[in-house]
């Protein structure tokens, strides 16, 4: 059964009370020490406050911070292009990257209000009906907008920009830039429903920390982008692909992936637990960054799996994504909102916004092609189309012909830019010895609770959810809602007690609460060890980061989503706490984008983002291409496949991003 729901998100954690040390011996607490839960925000009334990650989380403060990433240098003192060069470009205003729009705004060549109105015009023309958690026949990228809030923020940005031009304090580069925000991330004044009407009535009381930091820089919130139901479906169910709405958009941050690529927003925020930023970016040809756990605060997020969840930018270029990420981490750790942010290394640099000069900008960088990775591919069994995982085979042997050709070309281009691109062997995901993979999908049972087997991952994620009021928050919310809505929330957050037949809130809380501290610590030890093992494989081969393809063949149409090839180890980067960047590298024969990703050790974002920027400076034709505006139907919506419909209803466990459900499927 699907268990991939998330409690209501309403606020960041500015209202966390001061709590004395708790010496409770209740399972899940640290005897004689401050318990983790006491550090986190608490449920308040009908609307829960989601504003913190699990204190001392799986890879949090107990893990020694790695050395600060290598600093990069560029030849330019200002990363912005000249306003004159942007004005000379014949592309439409909304086709420009954030950095180009910033140049126009800073020079006064366009106002923030004019820019917001341009995007609202596109949204109102191409998005289709709002508040529709279904295929509305159009792009369906935004689930809701609020022009009053957006234009008010734009007017404030114009005042700030005008004051800067008059000699006042400089305006940040993001001042006046319009953005969309995923339906699971709190924005003050907007409903936050995480892809489902089951959370109807949940409204953001204040901005999530990441949103608040961007709004403090003057970013303009246009509205909320649609998410898969409960952020749980990786293929995408509601939106249409930016390049052809008949094709899947990728999920669960599907609206953010579509809106950025389709020029409905200058950039968007996505959230990832297991591929939910990288996969829609791959499907729509965005440039994005899935950050290391702890680099960006997740305070104010409707959580799916605390300790795995991340918030990151989805944009049109690597330099845009880097600029946005700099804004979200500018104030550093958020210890009460997300204690994992305490692991950010001292001296963590701002990401570069400009390419390195010279013919060999990637000289000295070693990029690995992992030959022990695995793919999920389309197969036909007994006359039915399905998928299966290919383990122990060369991953590139499973790529579709056009995608393999693009991958090989990319590797040649990276070598031409000075990179050392080599094959290496990573970790064997089916070797569950401590020397390889003691954590991910490891079938070992650490303990049992009421007959429920506790694996290393559930030993972490269950108590993390308890710390986070993961079940108590929607339980309190459900008590204020109509019967049908409350029933659906219980279906997604409750658990069936031993010998019982009906889900209860109490059983779910019990299973989260009763994990012993010993099992939790062992799970955390195994997770850190697994990350160390993977990093050791990089070090043994001299690899800085690796290059992969998350989507390895032509996307299916939306009624065929069970048949496509993809790199479906989506949760591995989040389980490892490793970052990824995604960027387009070409187009296939039906004019859909082909993308690649870099994946590297925790906190290697500056190095990978720099390589993405360097590549895009050399080969700009891929990320600057804009999809043609589609001719959209005016009345009928497209038909979803049975698998997509089952995923929306929570009946298809294979579609979930929830790592605990994935673990049970593996068992």
């Amino acid at each position: 059964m699907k268990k991939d729901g998330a409690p209501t998100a309403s606020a960041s954690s500015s209202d966390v009370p001061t709590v004395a040390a708790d010496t409770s011996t209740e399972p899940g607490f640290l005897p004689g020490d401050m318990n983790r839960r006491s550090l986190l925000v608490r449920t308040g009334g009908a609307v829960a406050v989601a504003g913190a990650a699990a204190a001392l989380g799986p890879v949090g403060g107990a893990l020694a911070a790695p050395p600060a990433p290598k600093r990069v240098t560029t030849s330019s003192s200002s990363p912005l292009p000249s306003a004159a060069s942007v004005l000379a470009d014949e592309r439409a205003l909304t086709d420009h990257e954030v950095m180009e729009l910033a140049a126009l705004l800073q020079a006064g060549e366009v106002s923030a209000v004019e820019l917001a109105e341009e995007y609202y015009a596109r949204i109102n023309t191409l998005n289709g009906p709002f508040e529709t958690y279904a295929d509305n026949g159009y792009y369906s990228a935004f689930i809701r907008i609020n022009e009053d809030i957006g234009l008010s923020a734009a007017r404030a940005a114009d005042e700030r920009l005008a004051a800067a031009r008059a000699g006042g304090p400089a305006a940040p580069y993001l001042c006046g830039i319009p953005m969309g925000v995923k339906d699971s991330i709190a924005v003050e004044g907007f409903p936050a429903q995480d892809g489902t009407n089951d959370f109807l009535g949940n409204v953001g009381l204040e901005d999530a920390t990441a949103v608040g930091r961007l709004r403090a820089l003057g970013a303009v919130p246009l509205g909320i982008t649609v998410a898969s139901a409960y952020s749980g479906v990786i293929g995408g169910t509601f939106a249409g692909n930016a390049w052809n709405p008949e094709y899947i958009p990728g999920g669960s941050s599907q609206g953010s992936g579509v809106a950025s690529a389709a020029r409905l927003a200058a950039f968007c925020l996505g959230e990832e637990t297991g591929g939910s930023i990288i996969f829609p970016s791959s499907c729509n040809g965005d440039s994005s960054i899935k950050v290391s756990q702890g680099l960006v605060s997740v305070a104010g997020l409707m959580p799916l799996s605390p300790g795995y969840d991340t918030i990151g930018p989805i944009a049109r270029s690597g330099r845009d994504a880097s600029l946005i990420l700099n804004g979200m981490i500018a104030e550093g750790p958020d210890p009460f909102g997300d204690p994992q942010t305490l692991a950010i290394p001292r001296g963590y640099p701002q990401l570069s916004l400009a390419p390195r000069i010279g013919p060999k900008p990637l000289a000295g960088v070693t990029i690995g092609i992992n030959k022990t990775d695995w793919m999920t591919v389309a197969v036909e069994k007994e006359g039915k189309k399905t998928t299966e995982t290919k383990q122990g085979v060369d991953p590139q042997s499973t790529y579709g012909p056009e995608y393999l050709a693009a991958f090989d070309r990319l590797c040649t281009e990276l070598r031409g830019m000075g990179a050392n691109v080599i094959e290496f062997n990573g970790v064997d995901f089916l070797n569950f010895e401590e020397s390889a993979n003691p954590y991910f999908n490891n079938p070992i049972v650490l303990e049992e609770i009421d007959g429920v087997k506790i694996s290393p991952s559930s030993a972490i994620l269950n108590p993390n959810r308890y710390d986070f009021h993961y079940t108590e928050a929607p339980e309190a919310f459900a008590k204020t809602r109509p019967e049908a809505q409350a029933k659906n929330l219980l279906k997604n957050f409750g658990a069936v007690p031993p010998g019982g037949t009906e889900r209860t809130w109490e059983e779910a809380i019990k299973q989260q609460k009763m994990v012993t501290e010993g099992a939790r610590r062992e799970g955390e030890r195994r997770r850190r060890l697994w990350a160390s093992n993977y990093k050791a494989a990089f070090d043994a081969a001299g690899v800085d980061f690796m290059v992969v393809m998350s989507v390895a063949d032509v996307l299916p149409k939306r009624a065929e989503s069970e048949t496509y090839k993809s790199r479906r180890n989506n949760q591995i980067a989040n389980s490892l706490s490793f970052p990824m960047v995604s960027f387009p590298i070409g187009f296939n024969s039906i004019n859909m984008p082909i993308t690649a990703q870099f994946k590297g050790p925790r906190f290697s974002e500056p190095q990978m983002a720099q390589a993405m920027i360097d590549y895009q400076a050399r080969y700009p034709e891929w990320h600057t291409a804009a999809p043609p505006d589609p001719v959209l139907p005016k009345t009928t919506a497209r038909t979803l496949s049975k698998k997509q419909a089952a995923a929306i209803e929570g009946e298809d466990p294979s579609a979930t991003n929830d790592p605990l459900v994935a673990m049970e499927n593996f068992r």
Side-chain angles (χ1 to χ4, degrees), residues 324-338:
I324 298 155
L325 179 54
N326 283 342
M328 290 192 285
I329 64 175
E331 297 179 28
D334 180 14
F336 289 104
D338 182 353

Side-chain angles (χ1 to χ4, degrees), residues 186-205:
V187 183
E188 183 179 357
F190 284 91
Q193 294 178 202
D194 204 16
T196 172
N197 282 323
D198 294 343
F199 282 118
L200 186 66
N202 188 46
V203 178
L205 303 179

